[in-house]
Amino acid sequence: MRSIILLLLLLASLVSTAQGNLTISGYVKDAATGETLIGANVYAKETMTGTTTNTYGYYVLNLPPGKYTIVMSYVGFEESSQVVELKADLKLNLDARTKAIVAKEFEVVGEKAKNTESTQMGTVELDVQKLSTLPALLGEVDILKTIQYLPGVKSNGEGNSGFYVRGGGPDQNLILLDNATVYNASHLFGFFSVFNADAVKNIELIKGGMPANYGGRTSSVLDITMKDGNDKEFHGQGGIGLISSRLTLEGPIVKEKSSFIVSARRTYIDVLAKPFINPEGAFAGSGYFFYDINAKANYRLSDKDRFFLSGYFGRDVFDLSGSQPGSPNFKIPWGNATVSGRWNHVFGPKLFLNTTAIFSDYQFSFSGGQDDFKFGLSSGIKDYGLKLDFNQYPSVRHELKYGVNYTYHVYTPSTVDVASGDTEFDIDTPSKLRAHEAAVYIQDDYDVSDELRVNAGVRLSYFAHVGRFKEYLFDDAGTATGTRDYTPGEAIKTYYGLEPRLSMRYKTGATSSVKASFNRNLQYVHLASFSSIGLPTDVWIPSGKNVKPQVAYQYAVGYFRDLWDRKYEASVEVYYKDMFNQIEYKEGTQPQDGANTNYDAFLTYGKGWSYGAEFFLKRRLGKFTGWAGYTWSKTMRQFDEINEGREFPSRWDRRHDISLVTGYELNERWTFGGTFVYSTGQATTLPVQRYFIEGRVVSQFSERNGFRMAPYHRLDFAATLKNKATKEVKDKLTGEVTTVQRRYRSSWTFAVYNAYNRANPYFYYFTTEGSTATNDLRPVAKQVSLFSILPSVTWNFQF
């Protein structure tokens, strides 16, 4: 590890040639809360030389000696400036003060526009504050559902928070919460995400042009940063909705030096439904609920050192039980836990280090039985990791990032337990799967000229599947011949590879640019999905002897433009992606089939490809904000053992996707929001012929995913009413009336989901009508739809 860090520092020094410049560096913070601001613009007005703050609010400006007006701008905050005399390296922390954005405040002079200036492609940052004004299913504000409104991002179905990016599967999205990987981001079988928006500070989605500091996935990165907590004074906020309530508390531990935030949420579906369940009925003991808690604390050790500790814990619990003798009893708990410890250190104005220790745990279990029969199924994954990430600012034209990371994985494959009475069936417990994963990376964001900027990087990754492990041995006929035991730490299979990353921007005018990117990504973990099971039984498995790492190549090019004094952002991107070493379970495989055999025995391997065009128009400022997106895409798969080896549409293939998201601030009290979505129907496999043979109905199916469901479309509305921000106070002695800010704020959000009551298909099933006796037996297709028009109301409060 030490030699790798020294090598990175040596490589970085190659571009760190001194140019006689001095530095202005520091942090940008919200003056009211002490929260650092991510992506704030800081620039020198005289030279228009500028930069943006990193994930921790830190910035560096490289300038020759002289007198400068340093300007800070950030959407939603007052633009501020101050004059400095730069004679030596200067530390300058900047405070940002909030403002009310009104219609006339459109001009943003000198602000560096990420849309046209940066090399980033397919990257979107969401304003967390505005999420609460958008319509939401049953009033639950959901980060992942908002992401589904973006071009190139597909939904997994009605009300589902799962998302798929540019033809990739759900396992190909790297979801990070304060640098810790979240393996299952859904509550309620996918209908709600695990992220509580009240605890979130920043959301960034990267669909293409993935920087070299991210790895381990082939499609996208969803990087979510939690709030640090108010270090000025104690505050709280929360809400009460139809199915859940939430509460967030934050405040200083040591004023202006240390702070905390705790946010909790729980549903009460089980409590509300209990009075309506017959205590003598078949399902008297049934219920479902989920809960989660986010917590974070930070402490500023010195001007150069700061420590953060954050964690998440969430669980879903589903019980199905009855009071009658012989009733089935099932319990299905699952959930995530993450812990991140981070240390920021500023070596000097040009070198910033973040060290992160990470723990992540996802567990799923199913236990149940009826009478004397008992059945259990469990799976999971644990990660223990360490990351070192350096930011270096050697000159005005270079911004370096380099680092190293290591993760120790422990996978629990599908483990089955079966018993009947006093008899336990002899089913070997599958070995836990252990693996080492490591990577080293370096990248440079380099201004070749005023017009051309290049972000070039490379990532070297390593993966080793190691013992302890029991391998089942089979002959060519598939007959078991014995086992082989690997000792702890013994290498079973090792992989490594280079992952080049390149993106560039060429300015074609003051407000327009052309961008291009190329990525090669390796992914050493796979998600094996049982598509026929409606439970979260998907299993994470590592690459190994037979399971090769996923490999993806993505090429993209786009045109980006800011319109009307940068009130609007517009872009057009086209992409092509090749995906190799994709996995699926063989047709007909069930979770219990993994007993007494290798974890990869029922897998089949193939490839995929996807291409498309994405159109995006966003209004950034003013009373009326929102965006419109359209995607045309095609996603295909090919497996030798599926569909007779012929290519077929992926389950995530949608030819057309349209999304409209709007928000309108009528005045200080009323805000309105609306969303509309349309997408081509999901590809699925259905019977095309049915025969009646010897008293049985025999089905003949279409090709794999050869049938399209009806198109999906939906319109949602929301209106938020806030109480007045100020109140009048009369002095008892003088009678003077003054206007003061209210300490307690509240609002009501009224929403309508599926406003015109569209019956969108969730799945189809077939039944028969008639009989053979009357010679009119015929198959009939039935559509199941989940949600009709759903009104909701949520009360939110702050203090």
Side-chain angles (χ1 to χ4, degrees):
M1 177 73 76
R2 187 176 180 182
S3 60
I4 291 174
I5 296 172
L6 291 174
L7 176 62
L8 288 170
L9 292 171
L10 177 62
L11 290 171
S13 68
L14 296 177
V15 295
S16 301
T17 54
Q19 298 182 356
N21 284 345
L22 300 173
T23 63
I24 301 175
S25 62
Y27 292 88
V28 179
K29 298 182 179 181
D30 184 334
T33 66
E35 287 275 359
T36 56
L37 300 182
I38 302 172
N41 295 284
V42 183
Y43 63 94
K45 193 171 185 179
E46 289 76 9
T47 64
M48 296 306 295
T49 300
T51 187
T52 58
T53 55
N54 68 7
T55 306
Y56 301 96
Y58 185 76
Y59 76 94
V60 175
L61 280 176
N62 285 280
L63 296 167
K67 190 174 183 179
Y68 298 98
T69 304
I70 304 302
V71 182
M72 187 286 302
S73 66
Y74 193 73
V75 174
F77 289 80
E78 295 282 355
E79 183 176 280
S80 63
S81 64
Q82 62 185 96
V83 178
V84 297
E85 185 77 29
L86 187 59
K87 298 178 180 179
D89 289 341
L90 176 65
K91 180 183 176 183
L92 183 64
N93 293 329
L94 302 172
D95 287 333
R97 289 174 169 76
T98 58
K99 69 175 180 180
I101 299 177
V102 296
K104 64 181 181 181
E105 294 174 322
F106 279 139
E107 189 177 5
V108 187
V109 179
E111 181 178 343
K112 291 175 70 66
K114 289 185 179 181
N115 185 49
T116 57
E117 293 285 344
S118 74
T119 57
Q120 291 179 322
M121 293 188 66
T123 301
V124 181
E125 291 187 4
L126 295 178
D127 186 346
V128 182
Q129 300 301 319
K130 293 186 177 179
L131 294 185
S132 60
T133 64
L134 296 179
L137 177 62
L138 296 174
E140 281 295 303
V141 175
D142 198 309
I143 291 172
L144 296 190
K145 286 194 179 70
T146 305
I147 287 170
Q148 295 170 3
Y149 297 134
L150 299 171
V153 183
K154 315 287 186 183
S155 164
N156 190 31
E158 176 75 273
N160 201 290
S161 62
F163 67 101
Y164 309 92
V165 178
R166 291 184 172 179
D171 61 319
Q172 296 174 353
N173 303 315
L174 177 62
I175 303 176
L176 300 174
L177 180 64
D178 274 359
N179 277 346
T181 302
V182 178
Y183 282 96
N184 187 313
S186 297
H187 283 307
L188 191 56
F189 304 101
F191 289 108
F192 300 107
S193 77
V194 300
F195 303 112
N196 184 347
D198 289 347
V200 171
K201 175 163 67 173
N202 190 71
I203 308 165
E204 183 179 44
L205 176 68
I206 303 172
K207 300 179 293 180
M210 190 183 297
N213 55 306
Y214 294 109
R217 298 295 187 272
T218 57
S219 279
S220 75
V221 178
L222 179 62
D223 197 347
I224 299 174
T225 305
M226 287 176 56
K227 292 178 181 177
D228 298 329
N230 193 317
D231 68 3
K232 308 285 186 181
E233 55 187 6
F234 181 81
H235 282 282
Q237 63 176 319
I240 300 174
L242 292 181
I243 66 167
S244 73
S245 292
R246 64 191 193 280
L247 177 65
T248 300
L249 301 175
E250 59 180 324
I253 300 173
V254 178
K255 193 170 183 179
E256 297 186 354
K257 191 170 186 178
S258 176
S259 63
F260 77 94
I261 183 170
V262 177
S263 185
R265 178 175 59 160
R266 191 195 191 278
T267 60
Y268 28 72
I269 303 172
D270 53 333
V271 178
L272 295 178
K274 193 171 184 179
F276 303 98
I277 298 177
N278 183 355
E280 304 298 326
F283 304 107
S286 301
Y288 168 83
F289 65 93
F290 74 74
Y291 63 92
D292 52 41
I293 183 169
N294 296 77
K296 187 173 184 179
N298 72 90
Y299 189 84
R300 190 169 67 251
L301 303 171
S302 68
D303 290 341
K304 292 188 175 182
D305 296 278
R306 193 172 183 182
F307 180 73
F308 303 82
L309 181 64
S310 59
Y312 166 86
F313 184 84
R315 280 292 180 269
D316 289 64
V317 179
F318 177 65
D319 289 303
L320 178 66
S321 59
S323 60
Q324 302 298 324
S327 298
N329 292 276
F330 300 102
K331 188 169 186 177
I332 313 173
W334 74 94
N336 300 272
T338 68
V339 179
S340 299
R342 291 179 292 170
W343 168 52
N344 290 170
H345 179 69
V346 180
F347 286 98
K350 294 187 177 183
L351 185 59
F352 181 94
L353 166 67
N354 179 62
T355 302
T356 310
I358 301 165
F359 171 76
S360 178
D361 181 24
Y362 169 68
Q363 299 293 329
F364 165 80
S365 65
F366 173 96
S367 60
Q370 188 170 12
D371 296 327
D372 291 335
F373 179 77
K374 296 180 180 179
F375 175 81
L377 176 70
S378 61
S379 64
I381 179 172
K382 287 184 180 180
D383 284 353
Y384 306 84
L386 182 66
K387 297 174 64 178
L388 282 80
D389 298 293
F390 293 86
N391 286 49
Q392 188 170 0
Y393 310 87
S395 70
V396 69
R397 290 191 176 274
H398 289 275
E399 181 180 342
L400 284 170
K401 290 184 179 181
Y402 48 94
V404 59
N405 58 69
Y406 165 78
T407 304
Y408 177 60
H409 302 285
V410 180
Y411 305 84
T412 302
S414 292
T415 303
V416 179
D417 298 304
V418 180
S420 181
D422 295 330
T423 303
E424 294 188 2
F425 293 87
D426 184 18
I427 300 176
D428 281 357
T429 300
S431 300
K432 289 184 182 293
L433 310 175
R434 299 168 176 84
H436 302 288
E437 183 173 1
V440 58
Y441 72 89
I442 184 168
Q443 72 174 32
D444 185 14
D445 204 15
Y446 173 43
D447 282 314
V448 181
S449 66
D450 290 342
E451 291 78 24
L452 179 62
R453 173 181 287 182
V454 175
N455 186 304
V458 64
R459 184 181 183 91
L460 175 62
S461 57
Y462 163 86
F463 187 88
H465 179 202
V466 299
R468 167 181 310 151
F469 177 67
K470 178 190 285 188
E471 180 185 11
Y472 293 88
L473 304 177
F474 300 88
D475 59 22
D476 294 339
T479 304
T481 59
T483 62
R484 176 183 174 181
D485 291 320
Y486 289 86
T487 59
E490 182 181 358
I492 301 169
K493 183 65 177 179
T494 300
Y495 295 97
Y496 61 88
L498 281 175
E499 303 177 50
R501 314 286 175 82
L502 178 66
S503 58
M504 59 186 67
R505 175 229 69 199
Y506 185 82
K507 293 183 68 173
T508 57
T511 59
S512 63
S513 63
V514 174
K515 302 182 186 182
S517 67
F518 165 74
N519 283 40
R520 182 179 191 264
N521 294 61
L522 294 173
Q523 179 173 330
Y524 299 102
V525 64
H526 306 252
L527 186 66
S529 175
F530 297 99
S531 58
S532 61
I533 302 295
L535 299 171
T537 52
D538 298 346
V539 180
W540 292 93
I541 59 175
S543 298
K545 271 191 173 182
N546 300 313
V547 183
K548 296 180 180 179
Q550 299 183 58
V551 184
Y553 297 85
Q554 184 173 191
Y555 314 82
V557 64
Y559 177 71
F560 297 76
R561 189 175 184 90
D562 293 329
L563 305 169
W564 294 291
D565 295 329
R566 292 181 175 160
K567 301 184 192 73
Y568 293 85
E569 295 177 356
S571 64
V572 179
E573 294 185 52
V574 294
Y575 70 90
Y576 181 87
K577 182 194 291 186
D578 272 321
M579 295 166 280
F580 300 97
N581 304 329
Q582 305 298 289
I583 71 166
E584 293 277 0
Y585 276 114
K586 295 176 182 178
E587 293 179 336
T589 302
Q590 296 295 324
Q592 64 271 21
D593 293 339
N596 292 322
T597 189
N598 297 320
Y599 71 93
D600 55 9
F602 295 95
L603 299 177
T604 183
Y605 309 96
K607 61 183 179 180
W609 57 96
S610 179
Y611 51 90
E614 301 169 2
F615 301 83
F616 189 58
L617 177 65
K618 177 181 179 181
R619 177 161 176 150
R620 302 173 56 243
L621 301 172
K623 288 181 172 290
F624 181 81
T625 57
W627 69 80
Y630 168 71
T631 304
W632 183 97
S633 62
K634 186 173 184 178
T635 303
M636 303 295 289
R637 295 288 189 269
Q638 191 272 320
F639 288 76
D640 290 341
E641 297 185 54
I642 296 177
N643 204 44
E644 299 180 351
R646 297 188 298 272
E647 66 181 52
F648 58 89
S650 164
R651 75 185 77 170
W652 309 296
D653 179 52
R654 309 277 200 282
R655 198 68 70 244
H656 304 282
D657 260 298
I658 300 172
S659 60
L660 298 173
V661 177
T662 61
Y664 180 69
E665 185 179 351
L666 179 65
N667 51 44
E668 290 184 357
R669 299 194 63 192
W670 280 102
T671 303
F672 299 92
T675 59
F676 173 78
V677 292
Y678 172 92
S679 65
T680 301
Q682 184 174 332
T684 187
T685 306
L686 292 178
V688 293
Q689 296 286 340
R690 284 201 164 186
Y691 305 96
F692 192 75
I693 301 176
E694 297 180 354
R696 295 183 299 111
V697 177
V698 179
S699 300
Q700 178 183 340
F701 286 86
S702 67
E703 290 194 348
R704 183 70 170 255
N705 294 337
F707 180 83
R708 289 280 176 183
M709 293 185 179
Y712 182 95
H713 50 90
R714 193 188 75 244
L715 177 67
D716 308 327
F717 290 115
T720 300
L721 174 63
K722 302 177 183 177
N723 69 341
K724 291 183 178 181
T726 60
K727 63 179 180 179
E728 293 183 347
V729 178
K730 186 176 181 179
D731 190 291
K732 294 182 179 180
L733 296 178
T734 65
E736 183 181 358
V737 177
T738 58
T739 301
V740 297
Q741 292 286 329
R742 290 182 184 269
R743 181 170 177 81
Y744 301 94
R745 300 295 308 276
S746 66
S747 66
W748 290 91
T749 298
F750 309 93
V752 178
Y753 182 89
N754 196 8
Y756 54 80
N757 202 28
R758 162 72 174 174
N760 286 300
Y762 189 63
F763 65 84
Y764 295 114
Y765 71 95
F766 282 79
T767 185
T768 56
E769 294 183 355
S771 68
T772 55
T774 56
N775 202 29
D776 62 349
L777 182 68
R778 63 190 183 280
V780 177
K782 301 284 188 179
Q783 174 182 304
V784 175
S785 300
L786 281 185
F787 301 119
S788 59
I789 183 171
L790 283 176
S792 64
V793 60
T794 304
W795 179 62
N796 301 297
F797 57 88
Q798 294 179 336
F799 58 88

